[in-house]
Amino acid sequence: MTMTPEQAAWFQGTFQRLVDNVDKAVQGKQEIVGLVLASMLAEGHVLLEDAPGTGKTSLAKALAATVQGTSARIQFTPDLLPSDVTGVTIYDQQSHRFEFHKGPIFASIVLADEINRASPKTQSALLEVMEESRVTVDGVTHETGRPFLVIATQNPIEQAGTYKLPEAQLDRFLIKTSIGYPDLAVTESILAGASDRNPSAGLSAIITTSAVADMADLAATVHVEPAVLRYVAELAEATREDSAIRLGVSVRGAIAMIRIAKVWAAAQGRHFVLPDDIKTLARPVWQHRLLLDAEAEFAGTNSDTVIARVLDAVPAPQARAAA
């Protein structure tokens, strides 16, 4: 079953209401909020590479409040254990039974702060839950539920004592982006309300978590023309063949593009994906999936340069709308 134009119009209106609500707490960042929300509805996860104090925690709390979900923040440190993330089984002396105590990963929106400061073992535990949406402890599986969004952060400046995420783990994030600093007018507005230490506390829920799951299922029915599928495949292949790249976009990366492109199209009020959706999303979806050749990187080439070059080189199809 394919999404209808009427359903697409409803999706667009609801999506914008969600973005507007979150924007009350994270001011002036509607585009970034839209990307993060689209990732959640595509059932993927977000990597934010940002300086401290740009509103990452506020974003997670505001998003959770907007969808009537729960939020948790995990500060990653070198001594953090996998069980500190996933939870642990404890023997209850009164009931004489082992009981599972859920970790913070079972919240609807999880902020994994400075993920690169934890050991590779703890990073792997988090990324496994992200991939499978469930935790297995002592042979018992526990589902995380829907929605489930991990917003992991990295500090781009201070790298002392960090464990760099391997490319295979970076590939598990649907998008990579940054909130960035607000402009002067927005900063002034934020300062005017500086006495409110928790701006997300006053937000009203727009929809329920079950409705979010319904929106995700609905977005999955957006139509994608074969020509657009081929366009994504050609772009991914072009990144692998670029002379500046050691490792290009994987098949998982191409699948991720289609998943979020469906949500993005529905958020624009369309029941079909256009090549322009792919162009808009190419940078956040693919920039962290490219491994540059050392010589090219030394010469000043970066992932954005390669993506722009590939988009110019591969002709976009004239996709027709779905009936």
Side-chain angles (χ1 to χ4, degrees), residues 173-256:
F173 288 96
L174 185 60
I175 68 166
K176 176 186 174 185
T177 186
S178 63
I179 298 176
Y181 292 113
D183 60 30
L184 187 61
V186 173
T187 301
E188 186 178 358
S189 175
I190 292 171
L191 294 177
S195 58
D196 184 3
R197 297 179 62 87
N198 187 11
S200 61
L203 295 182
S204 300
I206 301 299
I207 58 175
T208 63
T209 52
S210 60
V212 173
D214 291 340
M215 285 185 73
D217 292 338
L218 181 61
T221 67
V222 169
H223 179 75
V224 186
E225 280 284 306
V228 176
L229 294 175
R230 184 172 183 82
Y231 180 52
V232 172
E234 289 175 345
L235 288 172
E237 186 172 353
T239 64
R240 301 179 204 130
E241 296 174 349
D242 192 282
S243 60
I245 293 297
R246 285 174 54 200
L247 186 67
V249 173
S250 66
V251 175
R252 181 192 285 128
I255 293 172

Side-chain angles (χ1 to χ4, degrees), residues 57-139:
T57 303
S58 295
L59 172 62
K61 288 183 176 180
L63 192 55
T66 298
V67 301
Q68 212 174 64
T70 56
S71 66
R73 178 180 176 273
I74 309 171
Q75 179 62 56
F76 279 70
T77 55
D79 60 347
L80 191 75
L81 299 174
S83 58
D84 295 329
V85 175
T86 59
V88 64
T89 301
I90 298 176
Y91 183 72
D92 189 325
Q93 293 185 345
Q94 291 184 340
S95 64
H96 302 290
R97 295 174 59 187
F98 284 97
E99 295 183 356
F100 178 66
H101 290 244
K102 293 182 177 180
I105 198 65
F106 284 90
S108 307
I109 314 294
V110 180
L111 180 66
D113 216 359
E114 295 188 298
I115 184 177
N116 53 333
R117 293 203 178 279
S119 67
K121 185 176 183 179
T122 303
Q123 290 177 4
S124 297
L126 172 69
L127 292 160
E128 184 179 357
V129 184
M130 287 167 47
E131 181 73 12
E132 300 180 4
S133 297
R134 60 177 179 264
V135 173
T136 301
V137 177
D138 296 332

Side-chain angles (χ1 to χ4, degrees), residues 156-178:
I157 306 300
E158 187 183 350
Q159 298 298 326
T162 62
Y163 301 86
K164 184 180 179 182
L165 290 175
E167 283 69 28
Q169 294 186 357
L170 284 172
D171 200 31
R172 296 183 186 277
F173 288 96
L174 185 60
I175 68 166
K176 176 186 174 185
T177 186
S178 63

